[in-house]
mmCIF file of all heavy atoms in Angstrom:
data_model
loop_
_atom_site.group_PDB
_atom_site.id
_atom_site.type_symbol
_atom_site.label_atom_id
_atom_site.label_comp_id
_atom_site.label_asym_id
_atom_site.label_seq_id
_atom_site.Cartn_x
_atom_site.Cartn_y
_atom_site.Cartn_z
ATOM 1 N N TYR A 1 -117.190 -4.607 39.158
ATOM 2 C CA TYR A 1 -117.243 -3.238 39.684
ATOM 3 C C TYR A 1 -117.550 -3.264 41.184
ATOM 4 O O TYR A 1 -116.880 -2.615 41.988
ATOM 5 C CB TYR A 1 -118.306 -2.425 38.929
ATOM 6 C CG TYR A 1 -118.334 -0.960 39.288
ATOM 7 C CD1 TYR A 1 -117.541 -0.049 38.602
ATOM 8 C CD2 TYR A 1 -119.152 -0.485 40.314
ATOM 9 C CE1 TYR A 1 -117.563 1.305 38.923
ATOM 10 C CE2 TYR A 1 -119.174 0.859 40.639
ATOM 11 C CZ TYR A 1 -118.381 1.756 39.941
ATOM 12 O OH TYR A 1 -118.393 3.094 40.260
ATOM 13 N N ASN A 2 -118.577 -4.054 41.553
ATOM 14 C CA ASN A 2 -118.977 -4.110 42.962
ATOM 15 C C ASN A 2 -117.913 -4.780 43.824
ATOM 16 O O ASN A 2 -117.757 -4.427 44.994
ATOM 17 C CB ASN A 2 -120.323 -4.821 43.101
ATOM 18 C CG ASN A 2 -121.456 -3.996 42.498
ATOM 19 O OD1 ASN A 2 -121.264 -2.862 42.098
ATOM 20 N ND2 ASN A 2 -122.626 -4.573 42.416
ATOM 21 N N LEU A 3 -117.184 -5.735 43.254
ATOM 22 C CA LEU A 3 -116.074 -6.360 43.983
ATOM 23 C C LEU A 3 -114.999 -5.311 44.275
ATOM 24 O O LEU A 3 -114.452 -5.267 45.381
ATOM 25 C CB LEU A 3 -115.501 -7.531 43.182
ATOM 26 C CG LEU A 3 -114.365 -8.316 43.854
ATOM 27 C CD1 LEU A 3 -114.821 -8.943 45.169
ATOM 28 C CD2 LEU A 3 -113.850 -9.406 42.912
ATOM 29 N N GLY A 4 -114.728 -4.443 43.293
ATOM 30 C CA GLY A 4 -113.774 -3.340 43.496
ATOM 31 C C GLY A 4 -114.215 -2.422 44.618
ATOM 32 O O GLY A 4 -113.421 -2.048 45.489
ATOM 33 N N LEU A 5 -115.517 -2.066 44.635
ATOM 34 C CA LEU A 5 -116.047 -1.213 45.708
ATOM 35 C C LEU A 5 -115.936 -1.903 47.064
ATOM 36 O O LEU A 5 -115.640 -1.268 48.081
ATOM 37 C CB LEU A 5 -117.525 -0.862 45.441
ATOM 38 C CG LEU A 5 -117.821 0.028 44.236
ATOM 39 C CD1 LEU A 5 -119.330 0.253 44.115
ATOM 40 C CD2 LEU A 5 -117.114 1.364 44.354
ATOM 41 N N THR A 6 -116.186 -3.221 47.068
ATOM 42 C CA THR A 6 -116.117 -3.991 48.309
ATOM 43 C C THR A 6 -114.691 -4.006 48.849
ATOM 44 O O THR A 6 -114.462 -3.797 50.041
ATOM 45 C CB THR A 6 -116.616 -5.437 48.078
ATOM 46 O OG1 THR A 6 -117.914 -5.378 47.495
ATOM 47 C CG2 THR A 6 -116.688 -6.219 49.377
ATOM 48 N N TYR A 7 -113.722 -4.235 47.965
ATOM 49 C CA TYR A 7 -112.318 -4.221 48.394
ATOM 50 C C TYR A 7 -111.928 -2.839 48.931
ATOM 51 O O TYR A 7 -111.142 -2.734 49.871
ATOM 52 C CB TYR A 7 -111.389 -4.627 47.248
ATOM 53 C CG TYR A 7 -111.362 -6.109 46.967
ATOM 54 C CD1 TYR A 7 -111.226 -6.591 45.670
ATOM 55 C CD2 TYR A 7 -111.450 -7.049 47.999
ATOM 56 C CE1 TYR A 7 -111.184 -7.955 45.400
ATOM 57 C CE2 TYR A 7 -111.416 -8.410 47.744
ATOM 58 C CZ TYR A 7 -111.283 -8.858 46.445
ATOM 59 O OH TYR A 7 -111.241 -10.200 46.187
ATOM 60 N N LYS A 8 -112.486 -1.772 48.328
ATOM 61 C CA LYS A 8 -112.225 -0.421 48.855
ATOM 62 C C LYS A 8 -112.740 -0.303 50.289
ATOM 63 O O LYS A 8 -112.061 0.223 51.162
ATOM 64 C CB LYS A 8 -112.911 0.635 47.972
ATOM 65 C CG LYS A 8 -111.997 1.282 46.965
ATOM 66 C CD LYS A 8 -112.707 2.230 46.053
ATOM 67 C CE LYS A 8 -113.078 3.531 46.711
ATOM 68 N NZ LYS A 8 -113.667 4.493 45.767
ATOM 69 N N LYS A 9 -113.955 -0.811 50.511
ATOM 70 C CA LYS A 9 -114.550 -0.773 51.859
ATOM 71 C C LYS A 9 -113.704 -1.558 52.857
ATOM 72 O O LYS A 9 -113.606 -1.197 54.019
ATOM 73 C CB LYS A 9 -115.971 -1.354 51.842
ATOM 74 C CG LYS A 9 -117.022 -0.392 51.332
ATOM 75 C CD LYS A 9 -117.379 0.604 52.410
ATOM 76 C CE LYS A 9 -118.595 1.399 52.020
ATOM 77 N NZ LYS A 9 -118.866 2.494 52.955
ATOM 78 N N LEU A 10 -113.132 -2.670 52.377
ATOM 79 C CA LEU A 10 -112.306 -3.520 53.239
ATOM 80 C C LEU A 10 -110.867 -3.005 53.349
ATOM 81 O O LEU A 10 -110.027 -3.623 53.992
ATOM 82 C CB LEU A 10 -112.294 -4.955 52.697
ATOM 83 C CG LEU A 10 -113.619 -5.716 52.782
ATOM 84 C CD1 LEU A 10 -113.572 -6.989 51.949
ATOM 85 C CD2 LEU A 10 -113.947 -6.038 54.245
ATOM 86 N N ASN A 11 -110.587 -1.878 52.697
ATOM 87 C CA ASN A 11 -109.259 -1.255 52.688
ATOM 88 C C ASN A 11 -108.199 -2.157 52.049
ATOM 89 O O ASN A 11 -107.032 -2.099 52.406
ATOM 90 C CB ASN A 11 -108.848 -0.841 54.115
ATOM 91 C CG ASN A 11 -107.913 0.352 54.077
ATOM 92 O OD1 ASN A 11 -107.949 1.148 53.153
ATOM 93 N ND2 ASN A 11 -107.062 0.459 55.083
ATOM 94 N N ARG A 12 -108.639 -2.973 51.096
ATOM 95 C CA ARG A 12 -107.715 -3.807 50.321
ATOM 96 C C ARG A 12 -107.506 -3.084 48.986
ATOM 97 O O ARG A 12 -108.040 -3.474 47.945
ATOM 98 C CB ARG A 12 -108.299 -5.210 50.156
ATOM 99 C CG ARG A 12 -108.279 -5.968 51.489
ATOM 100 C CD ARG A 12 -109.253 -7.114 51.584
ATOM 101 N NE ARG A 12 -109.034 -8.195 50.633
ATOM 102 C CZ ARG A 12 -109.753 -9.319 50.631
ATOM 103 N NH1 ARG A 12 -110.708 -9.513 51.533
ATOM 104 N NH2 ARG A 12 -109.524 -10.250 49.740
ATOM 105 N N ILE A 13 -106.745 -2.012 49.061
ATOM 106 C CA ILE A 13 -106.652 -1.034 47.978
ATOM 107 C C ILE A 13 -106.035 -1.625 46.702
ATOM 108 O O ILE A 13 -106.522 -1.363 45.605
ATOM 109 C CB ILE A 13 -105.870 0.223 48.448
ATOM 110 C CG1 ILE A 13 -106.566 0.863 49.674
ATOM 111 C CG2 ILE A 13 -105.726 1.236 47.340
ATOM 112 C CD1 ILE A 13 -108.018 1.256 49.444
ATOM 113 N N ASP A 14 -104.982 -2.439 46.851
ATOM 114 C CA ASP A 14 -104.344 -3.018 45.660
ATOM 115 C C ASP A 14 -105.304 -3.921 44.895
ATOM 116 O O ASP A 14 -105.351 -3.898 43.660
ATOM 117 C CB ASP A 14 -103.083 -3.804 46.050
ATOM 118 C CG ASP A 14 -101.953 -2.879 46.479
ATOM 119 O OD1 ASP A 14 -101.968 -1.708 46.056
ATOM 120 O OD2 ASP A 14 -101.072 -3.323 47.234
ATOM 121 N N GLU A 15 -106.098 -4.718 45.654
ATOM 122 C CA GLU A 15 -107.063 -5.610 45.002
ATOM 123 C C GLU A 15 -108.182 -4.809 44.336
ATOM 124 O O GLU A 15 -108.648 -5.169 43.253
ATOM 125 C CB GLU A 15 -107.636 -6.591 46.031
ATOM 126 C CG GLU A 15 -106.631 -7.643 46.470
ATOM 127 C CD GLU A 15 -107.104 -8.422 47.672
ATOM 128 O OE1 GLU A 15 -106.926 -7.926 48.803
ATOM 129 O OE2 GLU A 15 -107.656 -9.518 47.476
ATOM 130 N N ALA A 16 -108.586 -3.708 44.981
ATOM 131 C CA ALA A 16 -109.610 -2.837 44.394
ATOM 132 C C ALA A 16 -109.099 -2.246 43.086
ATOM 133 O O ALA A 16 -109.798 -2.257 42.069
ATOM 134 C CB ALA A 16 -109.988 -1.719 45.377
ATOM 135 N N LEU A 17 -107.867 -1.753 43.104
ATOM 136 C CA LEU A 17 -107.267 -1.177 41.901
ATOM 137 C C LEU A 17 -107.202 -2.214 40.782
ATOM 138 O O LEU A 17 -107.535 -1.916 39.632
ATOM 139 C CB LEU A 17 -105.864 -0.636 42.204
ATOM 140 C CG LEU A 17 -105.127 0.005 41.028
ATOM 141 C CD1 LEU A 17 -105.889 1.202 40.476
ATOM 142 C CD2 LEU A 17 -103.720 0.421 41.446
ATOM 143 N N ASN A 18 -106.828 -3.435 41.129
ATOM 144 C CA ASN A 18 -106.757 -4.522 40.155
ATOM 145 C C ASN A 18 -108.119 -4.743 39.486
ATOM 146 O O ASN A 18 -108.205 -4.897 38.263
ATOM 147 C CB ASN A 18 -106.265 -5.794 40.856
ATOM 148 C CG ASN A 18 -105.913 -6.883 39.869
ATOM 149 O OD1 ASN A 18 -105.523 -6.604 38.737
ATOM 150 N ND2 ASN A 18 -106.071 -8.117 40.283
ATOM 151 N N CYS A 19 -109.199 -4.736 40.278
ATOM 152 C CA CYS A 19 -110.554 -4.911 39.724
ATOM 153 C C CYS A 19 -110.890 -3.799 38.737
ATOM 154 O O CYS A 19 -111.381 -4.063 37.634
ATOM 155 C CB CYS A 19 -111.602 -4.896 40.852
ATOM 156 S SG CYS A 19 -111.611 -6.366 41.869
ATOM 157 N N PHE A 20 -110.610 -2.555 39.128
ATOM 158 C CA PHE A 20 -110.978 -1.431 38.270
ATOM 159 C C PHE A 20 -110.105 -1.346 37.013
ATOM 160 O O PHE A 20 -110.579 -0.933 35.963
ATOM 161 C CB PHE A 20 -110.978 -0.122 39.057
ATOM 162 C CG PHE A 20 -112.090 -0.060 40.072
ATOM 163 C CD1 PHE A 20 -111.812 0.070 41.419
ATOM 164 C CD2 PHE A 20 -113.416 -0.182 39.681
ATOM 165 C CE1 PHE A 20 -112.829 0.104 42.356
ATOM 166 C CE2 PHE A 20 -114.453 -0.150 40.612
ATOM 167 C CZ PHE A 20 -114.154 -0.009 41.947
ATOM 168 N N LEU A 21 -108.849 -1.765 37.124
ATOM 169 C CA LEU A 21 -107.991 -1.798 35.931
ATOM 170 C C LEU A 21 -108.467 -2.868 34.947
ATOM 171 O O LEU A 21 -108.466 -2.656 33.732
ATOM 172 C CB LEU A 21 -106.522 -2.020 36.309
ATOM 173 C CG LEU A 21 -105.838 -0.843 37.006
ATOM 174 C CD1 LEU A 21 -104.453 -1.230 37.495
ATOM 175 C CD2 LEU A 21 -105.767 0.382 36.100
ATOM 176 N N LYS A 22 -108.917 -4.028 35.475
ATOM 177 C CA LYS A 22 -109.498 -5.068 34.613
ATOM 178 C C LYS A 22 -110.751 -4.538 33.931
ATOM 179 O O LYS A 22 -110.969 -4.760 32.740
ATOM 180 C CB LYS A 22 -109.866 -6.300 35.443
ATOM 181 C CG LYS A 22 -108.727 -7.232 35.741
ATOM 182 C CD LYS A 22 -109.248 -8.442 36.505
ATOM 183 C CE LYS A 22 -108.125 -9.270 37.070
ATOM 184 N NZ LYS A 22 -108.603 -10.283 38.011
ATOM 185 N N LEU A 23 -111.579 -3.834 34.708
ATOM 186 C CA LEU A 23 -112.812 -3.257 34.158
ATOM 187 C C LEU A 23 -112.497 -2.237 33.078
ATOM 188 O O LEU A 23 -113.189 -2.171 32.062
ATOM 189 C CB LEU A 23 -113.601 -2.562 35.270
ATOM 190 C CG LEU A 23 -114.801 -3.290 35.827
ATOM 191 C CD1 LEU A 23 -115.416 -2.490 36.953
ATOM 192 C CD2 LEU A 23 -115.833 -3.577 34.771
ATOM 193 N N HIS A 24 -111.456 -1.435 33.314
ATOM 194 C CA HIS A 24 -111.079 -0.416 32.333
ATOM 195 C C HIS A 24 -110.689 -1.071 30.998
ATOM 196 O O HIS A 24 -110.965 -0.521 29.932
ATOM 197 C CB HIS A 24 -109.937 0.449 32.861
ATOM 198 C CG HIS A 24 -109.445 1.455 31.877
ATOM 199 N ND1 HIS A 24 -110.236 2.495 31.412
ATOM 200 C CD2 HIS A 24 -108.260 1.578 31.230
ATOM 201 C CE1 HIS A 24 -109.553 3.200 30.541
ATOM 202 N NE2 HIS A 24 -108.347 2.670 30.409
ATOM 203 N N ALA A 25 -110.080 -2.253 31.068
ATOM 204 C CA ALA A 25 -109.719 -2.968 29.838
ATOM 205 C C ALA A 25 -110.968 -3.393 29.064
ATOM 206 O O ALA A 25 -110.962 -3.453 27.843
ATOM 207 C CB ALA A 25 -108.865 -4.188 30.180
ATOM 208 N N ILE A 26 -112.072 -3.637 29.803
ATOM 209 C CA ILE A 26 -113.336 -4.053 29.167
ATOM 210 C C ILE A 26 -114.158 -2.825 28.752
ATOM 211 O O ILE A 26 -114.680 -2.762 27.648
ATOM 212 C CB ILE A 26 -114.171 -4.928 30.138
ATOM 213 C CG1 ILE A 26 -113.390 -6.170 30.561
ATOM 214 C CG2 ILE A 26 -115.504 -5.332 29.512
ATOM 215 C CD1 ILE A 26 -113.980 -6.909 31.754
ATOM 216 N N LEU A 27 -114.271 -1.855 29.657
ATOM 217 C CA LEU A 27 -115.099 -0.652 29.431
ATOM 218 C C LEU A 27 -114.185 0.574 29.393
ATOM 219 O O LEU A 27 -114.105 1.317 30.366
ATOM 220 C CB LEU A 27 -116.122 -0.497 30.563
ATOM 221 C CG LEU A 27 -116.988 -1.705 30.912
ATOM 222 C CD1 LEU A 27 -117.745 -1.468 32.198
ATOM 223 C CD2 LEU A 27 -117.968 -1.992 29.776
ATOM 224 N N GLN A 28 -113.512 0.787 28.278
ATOM 225 C CA GLN A 28 -112.472 1.814 28.222
ATOM 226 C C GLN A 28 -112.976 3.240 28.414
ATOM 227 O O GLN A 28 -112.245 4.075 28.913
ATOM 228 C CB GLN A 28 -111.715 1.694 26.907
ATOM 229 C CG GLN A 28 -110.903 0.422 26.867
ATOM 230 C CD GLN A 28 -110.009 0.334 25.661
ATOM 231 O OE1 GLN A 28 -110.089 1.133 24.750
ATOM 232 N NE2 GLN A 28 -109.146 -0.663 25.656
ATOM 233 N N ASN A 29 -114.203 3.523 28.034
ATOM 234 C CA ASN A 29 -114.711 4.893 28.147
ATOM 235 C C ASN A 29 -115.735 5.061 29.258
ATOM 236 O O ASN A 29 -116.573 5.953 29.203
ATOM 237 C CB ASN A 29 -115.297 5.357 26.811
ATOM 238 C CG ASN A 29 -114.219 5.550 25.766
ATOM 239 O OD1 ASN A 29 -113.098 5.930 26.088
ATOM 240 N ND2 ASN A 29 -114.540 5.262 24.528
ATOM 241 N N SER A 30 -115.649 4.227 30.277
ATOM 242 C CA SER A 30 -116.583 4.346 31.399
ATOM 243 C C SER A 30 -116.076 5.398 32.385
ATOM 244 O O SER A 30 -115.035 5.210 33.034
ATOM 245 C CB SER A 30 -116.739 3.002 32.116
ATOM 246 O OG SER A 30 -117.413 3.192 33.340
ATOM 247 N N ALA A 31 -116.830 6.488 32.509
ATOM 248 C CA ALA A 31 -116.447 7.566 33.433
ATOM 249 C C ALA A 31 -116.423 7.059 34.874
ATOM 250 O O ALA A 31 -115.552 7.439 35.663
ATOM 251 C CB ALA A 31 -117.414 8.738 33.290
ATOM 252 N N GLN A 32 -117.375 6.169 35.225
ATOM 253 C CA GLN A 32 -117.432 5.646 36.596
ATOM 254 C C GLN A 32 -116.174 4.857 36.943
ATOM 255 O O GLN A 32 -115.623 5.007 38.035
ATOM 256 C CB GLN A 32 -118.652 4.738 36.765
ATOM 257 C CG GLN A 32 -119.974 5.483 36.730
ATOM 258 C CD GLN A 32 -121.129 4.516 36.586
ATOM 259 O OE1 GLN A 32 -121.194 3.755 35.626
ATOM 260 N NE2 GLN A 32 -122.037 4.539 37.532
ATOM 261 N N VAL A 33 -115.729 4.017 36.015
ATOM 262 C CA VAL A 33 -114.539 3.197 36.258
ATOM 263 C C VAL A 33 -113.311 4.092 36.374
ATOM 264 O O VAL A 33 -112.501 3.941 37.301
ATOM 265 C CB VAL A 33 -114.351 2.142 35.141
ATOM 266 C CG1 VAL A 33 -113.026 1.409 35.296
ATOM 267 C CG2 VAL A 33 -115.516 1.152 35.148
ATOM 268 N N LEU A 34 -113.170 5.054 35.464
ATOM 269 C CA LEU A 34 -112.032 5.983 35.514
ATOM 270 C C LEU A 34 -112.032 6.758 36.829
ATOM 271 O O LEU A 34 -110.983 6.952 37.451
ATOM 272 C CB LEU A 34 -112.078 6.944 34.321
ATOM 273 C CG LEU A 34 -111.731 6.328 32.966
ATOM 274 C CD1 LEU A 34 -112.141 7.256 31.830
ATOM 275 C CD2 LEU A 34 -110.246 6.003 32.877
ATOM 276 N N HIS A 35 -113.222 7.180 37.260
ATOM 277 C CA HIS A 35 -113.329 7.928 38.525
ATOM 278 C C HIS A 35 -112.861 7.076 39.702
ATOM 279 O O HIS A 35 -112.170 7.560 40.602
ATOM 280 C CB HIS A 35 -114.773 8.392 38.735
ATOM 281 C CG HIS A 35 -114.922 9.302 39.911
ATOM 282 N ND1 HIS A 35 -115.165 8.830 41.175
ATOM 283 C CD2 HIS A 35 -114.838 10.650 40.017
ATOM 284 C CE1 HIS A 35 -115.224 9.846 42.019
ATOM 285 N NE2 HIS A 35 -115.023 10.952 41.337
ATOM 286 N N GLN A 36 -113.226 5.797 39.708
ATOM 287 C CA GLN A 36 -112.802 4.900 40.787
ATOM 288 C C GLN A 36 -111.284 4.734 40.796
ATOM 289 O O GLN A 36 -110.654 4.721 41.862
ATOM 290 C CB GLN A 36 -113.485 3.535 40.664
ATOM 291 C CG GLN A 36 -114.973 3.545 40.956
ATOM 292 C CD GLN A 36 -115.309 3.945 42.384
ATOM 293 O OE1 GLN A 36 -114.500 3.811 43.304
ATOM 294 N NE2 GLN A 36 -116.504 4.448 42.576
ATOM 295 N N ILE A 37 -110.684 4.620 39.610
ATOM 296 C CA ILE A 37 -109.221 4.473 39.525
ATOM 297 C C ILE A 37 -108.541 5.728 40.074
ATOM 298 O O ILE A 37 -107.587 5.640 40.862
ATOM 299 C CB ILE A 37 -108.779 4.182 38.070
ATOM 300 C CG1 ILE A 37 -109.289 2.798 37.630
ATOM 301 C CG2 ILE A 37 -107.254 4.254 37.936
ATOM 302 C CD1 ILE A 37 -109.128 2.492 36.148
ATOM 303 N N VAL A 38 -109.064 6.904 39.693
ATOM 304 C CA VAL A 38 -108.527 8.168 40.207
ATOM 305 C C VAL A 38 -108.620 8.188 41.728
ATOM 306 O O VAL A 38 -107.651 8.512 42.425
ATOM 307 C CB VAL A 38 -109.298 9.380 39.610
ATOM 308 C CG1 VAL A 38 -108.942 10.667 40.339
ATOM 309 C CG2 VAL A 38 -109.005 9.513 38.126
ATOM 310 N N ASN A 39 -109.786 7.822 42.244
ATOM 311 C CA ASN A 39 -110.019 7.838 43.690
ATOM 312 C C ASN A 39 -109.038 6.926 44.422
ATOM 313 O O ASN A 39 -108.510 7.276 45.479
ATOM 314 C CB ASN A 39 -111.469 7.432 43.978
ATOM 315 C CG ASN A 39 -111.800 7.537 45.447
ATOM 316 O OD1 ASN A 39 -112.035 6.531 46.108
ATOM 317 N ND2 ASN A 39 -111.813 8.751 45.959
ATOM 318 N N ILE A 40 -108.762 5.757 43.853
ATOM 319 C CA ILE A 40 -107.823 4.822 44.486
ATOM 320 C C ILE A 40 -106.411 5.407 44.499
ATOM 321 O O ILE A 40 -105.715 5.333 45.518
ATOM 322 C CB ILE A 40 -107.868 3.440 43.803
ATOM 323 C CG1 ILE A 40 -109.174 2.738 44.189
ATOM 324 C CG2 ILE A 40 -106.667 2.590 44.200
ATOM 325 C CD1 ILE A 40 -109.453 1.456 43.471
ATOM 326 N N TYR A 41 -106.004 6.033 43.397
ATOM 327 C CA TYR A 41 -104.666 6.646 43.389
ATOM 328 C C TYR A 41 -104.591 7.812 44.381
ATOM 329 O O TYR A 41 -103.529 8.060 44.965
ATOM 330 C CB TYR A 41 -104.261 7.075 41.979
ATOM 331 C CG TYR A 41 -103.719 5.924 41.171
ATOM 332 C CD1 TYR A 41 -104.330 5.520 39.988
ATOM 333 C CD2 TYR A 41 -102.591 5.219 41.590
ATOM 334 C CE1 TYR A 41 -103.828 4.448 39.245
ATOM 335 C CE2 TYR A 41 -102.090 4.148 40.856
ATOM 336 C CZ TYR A 41 -102.716 3.766 39.689
ATOM 337 O OH TYR A 41 -102.224 2.707 38.975
ATOM 338 N N GLU A 42 -105.701 8.516 44.589
ATOM 339 C CA GLU A 42 -105.725 9.573 45.613
ATOM 340 C C GLU A 42 -105.561 8.973 47.007
ATOM 341 O O GLU A 42 -104.829 9.508 47.835
ATOM 342 C CB GLU A 42 -107.032 10.364 45.532
ATOM 343 C CG GLU A 42 -107.083 11.333 44.376
ATOM 344 C CD GLU A 42 -108.377 12.117 44.350
ATOM 345 O OE1 GLU A 42 -109.459 11.500 44.279
ATOM 346 O OE2 GLU A 42 -108.297 13.358 44.423
ATOM 347 N N ILE A 43 -106.248 7.842 47.255
ATOM 348 C CA ILE A 43 -106.111 7.146 48.545
ATOM 349 C C ILE A 43 -104.657 6.716 48.750
ATOM 350 O O ILE A 43 -104.112 6.811 49.852
ATOM 351 C CB ILE A 43 -107.068 5.924 48.610
ATOM 352 C CG1 ILE A 43 -108.522 6.385 48.668
ATOM 353 C CG2 ILE A 43 -106.743 5.034 49.810
ATOM 354 C CD1 ILE A 43 -109.545 5.282 48.430
ATOM 355 N N MET A 44 -104.024 6.264 47.658
ATOM 356 C CA MET A 44 -102.618 5.832 47.721
ATOM 357 C C MET A 44 -101.652 7.021 47.762
ATOM 358 O O MET A 44 -100.441 6.840 47.859
ATOM 359 C CB MET A 44 -102.289 4.953 46.513
ATOM 360 C CG MET A 44 -103.057 3.654 46.460
ATOM 361 S SD MET A 44 -102.913 2.865 44.843
ATOM 362 C CE MET A 44 -101.727 1.583 45.183
#
C-alpha cells in the first residue's frame, strides 16, 4: 500500500496503479484500496 502511495508521490502512476490492483486482489473489500484506484484513474 505504502509503495503505491510512494509511486503516486513520484508521479509513477502506472506503477502505483499496479500496486493497488495487486492489493485489491488480496483485500477485495478494502475501501481504502478501492479509493486509491479511483483516485489514480481520476489522475489519468
Side-chain angles (χ1 to χ4, degrees):
Y1 187 89
N2 292 353
L3 182 61
L5 293 179
T6 306
Y7 283 145
K8 262 176 74 175
K9 281 282 191 188
L10 292 167
N11 209 27
R12 289 158 62 176
I13 302 303
D14 289 336
E15 288 168 277
L17 180 60
N18 191 29
C19 287
F20 291 119
L21 290 173
K22 278 183 191 169
L23 257 177
H24 176 64
I26 301 166
L27 309 169
Q28 292 187 351
N29 291 327
S30 168
Q32 290 167 302
V33 173
L34 288 166
H35 187 271
Q36 290 297 336
I37 293 170
V38 169
N39 185 247
I40 287 173
Y41 278 120
E42 284 181 302
I43 292 167
M44 296 167 103

